[in-house]
């Protein structure tokens, strides 16, 4: 949490601006404001309202404004998603590193326990698996295994 607060504190003005817009655009207040503005705009230009002349009777200006707003909102959302994706990638990298460290430590622990058991002359039903379990697992080996499993599940495309 402290790291997230530090990252938020070091965000640029643009990043804070985009975050604020994205937060507002994702709120019900945003919906209520748009329903009110669009509702008044449509009623004023189709049926007319006292004191407001019909300034957009074909609603072309409303459609254009809404389209431009949608372009900007989509861009703000994509910028926010890119930031979130970068943060998720950092957490995923940390998770992989921690998992590999834990696996390495467990492998060493397995070797120590196995040595102690051998020294004490203790045998178990899993002794035949212990040597395999004492081997370090590399990230590349796991990724290669996953990729080969994924490729085996994907049917080949037929040409022609």
């Amino acid at each position: 949490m402290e790291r997230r607060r530090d990252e938020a504190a070091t965000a640029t003005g643009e990043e804070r601006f985009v975050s604020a817009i994205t937060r507002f655009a994702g709120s019900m207040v945003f919906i209520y404001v748009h329903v009110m503005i669009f509702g008044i705009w449509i009623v004023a230009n189709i049926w007319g309202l006292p004191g407001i002349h019909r300034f957009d009777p074909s609603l072309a200006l409303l459609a254009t404004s809404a389209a431009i707003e949608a372009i900007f909102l989509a861009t703000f959302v994509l910028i926010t998603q890119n930031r979130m994706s970068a943060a998720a990638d950092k957490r995923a990298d940390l998770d992989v590193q921690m998992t590999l460290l834990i696996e390495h430590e467990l492998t060493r622990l397995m070797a120590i326990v196995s040595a102690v058991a051998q020294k004490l002359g203790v045998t178990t039903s899993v002794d035949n698996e212990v040597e395999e379990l004492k081997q370090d697992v590399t990230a590349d080996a796991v990724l290669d295994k996953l990729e080969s499993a994924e490729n085996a599940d994907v049917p080949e495309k037929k040409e022609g």
Side-chain angles (χ1 to χ4, degrees):
M1 294 304 291
E2 186 174 324
R3 182 176 293 266
R4 286 185 186 178
R5 282 191 292 271
D6 289 345
E7 287 175 1
T10 59
T12 66
E14 289 175 339
E15 291 170 336
R16 286 192 299 273
F17 176 71
V18 168
S19 292
I21 288 182
T22 305
R23 266 193 314 278
F24 176 66
S27 71
M28 285 306 294
V29 171
F30 180 81
I31 298 297
Y32 299 144
V33 167
H34 278 75
V35 166
M36 185 179 67
I37 291 171
F38 288 170
I40 292 170
W41 190 308
I42 291 167
V43 169
N45 285 287
I46 292 179
W47 297 289
L49 287 175
I52 301 176
H53 71 283
R54 293 182 181 179
F55 57 91
D56 186 22
S58 67
L59 301 179
L61 186 57
L62 175 64
T64 302
S65 301
I68 291 170
E69 179 186 38
I71 290 168
F72 280 103
L73 286 176
T75 303
F76 291 140
V77 168
L78 289 172
I79 291 169
T80 301
Q81 285 180 333
N82 286 341
R83 283 189 68 209
M84 291 172 65
S85 178
D89 287 346
K90 284 167 106 175
R91 285 191 296 273
D93 289 345
L94 176 62
D95 188 43
V96 167
Q97 291 297 321
M98 293 300 296
T99 301
L100 289 172
L101 178 62
I102 291 167
E103 192 281 329
H104 178 73
E105 290 172 350
L106 287 174
T107 300
R108 295 293 160 255
L109 185 59
M110 177 69 70
I112 292 169
V113 170
S114 176
V116 169
Q118 191 175 28
K119 178 99 174 165
L120 296 175
V122 176
T123 58
T124 67
S125 61
V126 294
D127 283 347
N128 55 346
E129 299 172 20
V130 171
E131 286 308 312
E132 182 182 344
L133 293 173
K134 290 191 310 187
Q135 302 299 314
D136 270 327
V137 175
T138 65
D140 287 335
V142 174
L143 289 173
D144 290 344
K145 188 81 166 176
L146 287 171
E147 287 172 2
S148 67
E150 286 175 357
N151 291 336
D153 290 343
V154 176
E156 292 183 30
K157 291 184 179 179
K158 294 182 182 178
E159 294 185 27

